[in-house]
């Protein structure tokens, strides 16, 4: 199986069609179509059902997409290890915005000091989006809020304990909206569960893309929101009221999640800076 054909196939699925995949891969559409046809011919199976310009995965295509995620991830890692300057290592890390802002700066500075040649890529997103990206091979590890009993198919390590608090306008009145991140945000689910337990009906759900915007919206009287107390130290809270939550909702664990099929030197270095493993000997491998 040609690996480029497989990457092309996954790009078509990830980006929703040949046109978008070609744009992402910087290729012409005819080249992408030709590689799909070649892959289907080699496998002897149709990977897509074609209805006009629309593509939908066949059962065989779905099976190939799901099983190939680990292969693509491992090949990307191998390519990075064999590239010029590979001794520097590569770490693709995903994190919730609150974690990236309030928890990661110091550990990442320590990581850079202990492994100055390490190439670090950090992207933020909701817990659900980050876990999806990990499954696709976009990340080597992600920091997310997770369940009390995480699934065993991935490697979960508890890293931080957060305390969620409610922020509300100084002058309450009327029915407030819930100001929160998009669907897939673990703290949004906590806010909705807490609201349901209090028989609180939100006037609406307003999706916001950052904690600074969330606080500004709450201060302006748009609604109420939930966020980690650690984030408050980074923001101006003079225009909001901070309320404690019951422990069952307030206490939230942040997990470092990775695939359970090995640990690269770069990921080991991160774990050492997070205090999860002893740091001795880690930097020498990078």
């Amino acid at each position: 199986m040609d690996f480029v054909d497989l990457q092309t196939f996954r790009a078509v699925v990830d980006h929703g069609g040949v046109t978008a995949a070609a744009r992402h891969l910087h290729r012409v559409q005819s080249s992408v179509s030709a590689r799909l046809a070649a892959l289907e011919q080699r496998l002897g199976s149709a990977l897509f059902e074609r209805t006009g310009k629309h593509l939908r995965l066949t059962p065989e295509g779905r099976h190939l997409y799901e099983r190939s995620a680990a292969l693509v991830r491992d090949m990307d890692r191998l390519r990075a290890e064999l590239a010029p300057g590979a001794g520097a290592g590569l770490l693709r890390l995903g994190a919730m915005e609150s974690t990236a802002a309030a928890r990661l700066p110091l550990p990442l500075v320590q990581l850079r000091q202990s492994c100055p040649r390490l190439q670090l890529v950090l992207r933020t997103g909701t817990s659900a989006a980050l876990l999806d990206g990990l499954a696709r091979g976009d990340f080597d590890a992600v920091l997310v809020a997770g369940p009390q009993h995480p699934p065993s198919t991935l490697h979960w390590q508890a890293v931080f304990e957060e305390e969620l608090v409610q922020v509300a306008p100084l002058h309450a009145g009327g029915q407030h909206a819930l100001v929160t991140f998009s669907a897939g945000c673990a703290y949004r689910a906590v806010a909705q569960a807490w609201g349901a337990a209090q028989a609180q009906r939100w006037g609406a759900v307003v999706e916001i893309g950052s904690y600074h915007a969330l606080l500004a919206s709450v201060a302006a009287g748009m609604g109420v929101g939930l966020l980690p107390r650690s984030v408050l130290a980074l923001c101006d809270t003079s225009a909001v009221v901070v309320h404690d939550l019951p422990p069952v909702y307030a206490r939230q664990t942040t997990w470092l999640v990775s695939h359970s099929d090995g640990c690269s030197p770069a990921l080991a270095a991160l774990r050492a800076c997070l205090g999860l493993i002893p740091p001795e000997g880690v930097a020498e491998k990078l």
Side-chain angles (χ1 to χ4, degrees), residues 93-97 99-100 104 122-125 130 139 141-144:
L93 181 63
M96 298 180 295
E97 181 182 335
T99 304
L104 284 185
L122 173 63
R123 296 190 178 93
T124 61
L130 293 170
F139 301 109
V142 295
L143 285 153
V144 299

Side-chain angles (χ1 to χ4, degrees), residues 166 191-202 245-246 248-249:
Q166 183 203 50
Q192 292 173 323
W194 173 75
Q198 301 297 311
Q200 170 69 55
R201 294 186 178 181
W202 311 114
L245 295 176
V248 66
Y249 302 108

